[in-house]
Amino acid sequence: NMAIRLRFCLQLLALATMLGRSSTSMAVQAAAVDPDVAGLIARVNADSLEASVGRLVGFGTRFIGSDSNSACSSWLAGRAANYGYRSVRFDTFLVTVDRRLSVRVDGITVANRYVFQGTPQWNVVVTKPGILRPRRKIVVGGHYDTISIDRDQDGQDVAPGADDNASGIAAMLEIARILAAVPLEGTV
């Protein structure tokens, strides 16, 4: 099997997952250009996307430094491993920040300060090596942590983040699920 053209494939899959593949017209249009990519788009599963968003929201919060943030990173790594990815690792770093954020809620400006001193955080790094041009890489990324900026730092036990960024992470998981057994020319 020839490797699928990576950039085009990822762009169309990202679009299809974000839209939940509510229409097959996108797959039909892609088929005119590349039938392999159209086949991948046809595999986008709205139920899978919804289940992933539901699970991410189910953590209650994924606020930096919380136990559920750590649990979420482990869950994400486990999902990638279950899809068959052999290269799954954590990139650990420390967050030091002192930031004020404000938001308008019901016409009132709410401002809160968030302070972290050397708080550990983890990126979940999943790599799918390319078969033709493995040194050519495309990074697909998103953040899984959440914040409710209308609450102070101690009130972050409720920060479900369905749209920030559970929907984006669900799309990444769906792309990973679909591409797990697909040979790609470059590394993702």
Side-chain angles (χ1 to χ4, degrees):
N1 265 348
M2 289 193 58
I4 291 183
R5 290 178 292 143
L6 188 57
R7 182 167 297 160
F8 181 66
C9 174
L10 286 172
Q11 289 169 342
L12 287 175
L13 272 174
L15 181 60
T17 57
M18 289 300 189
L19 297 176
R21 202 179 56 87
S22 59
S23 168
T24 59
S25 66
M26 195 180 331
V28 170
Q29 290 172 0
V33 178
D34 189 327
D36 290 329
V37 174
L40 295 174
I41 290 171
R43 293 182 57 202
V44 173
N45 184 315
D47 291 337
S48 176
L49 289 163
E50 187 175 338
S52 291
V53 169
R55 177 62 185 108
L56 288 160
V57 167
F59 282 104
T61 185
R62 299 181 308 278
F63 188 64
I64 186 170
S66 67
D67 290 343
S68 50
N69 177 278
S70 176
C72 179
S73 67
S74 295
W75 177 77
L76 291 168
R79 287 285 299 269
N82 288 342
Y83 293 152
Y85 289 94
R86 287 183 261 143
S87 178
V88 180
R89 66 179 177 83
F90 295 102
D91 173 36
T92 304
F93 58 97
L94 300 177
V95 175
T96 299
V97 67
D98 185 341
R99 184 174 296 159
R100 286 194 179 279
L101 298 174
S102 61
V103 64
R104 289 191 59 80
V105 178
D106 297 327
I108 300 169
T109 299
V110 178
N112 288 301
R113 180 178 179 203
Y114 303 93
V115 179
F116 299 98
Q117 295 294 326
T119 304
Q121 185 66 20
W122 308 266
N123 287 323
V124 181
V125 181
V126 180
T127 304
K128 179 175 179 61
I131 60 170
L132 295 177
R133 295 182 185 97
R135 292 175 58 153
R136 184 176 186 187
K137 297 176 183 172
I138 293 182
V139 176
V140 180
H143 69 93
Y144 63 88
D145 63 329
T146 58
I147 187 170
S148 290
I149 59 175
D150 61 331
R151 297 170 179 262
D152 65 19
Q153 186 164 335
D154 293 331
Q156 292 297 317
D157 55 326
V158 178
D163 62 349
D164 184 23
N165 185 32
S167 58
I169 296 302
M172 287 180 53
L173 287 169
E174 187 67 356
I175 290 168
R177 181 187 70 77
I178 291 167
L179 294 181
V182 175
L184 299 172
E185 72 175 35
T187 296
V188 179

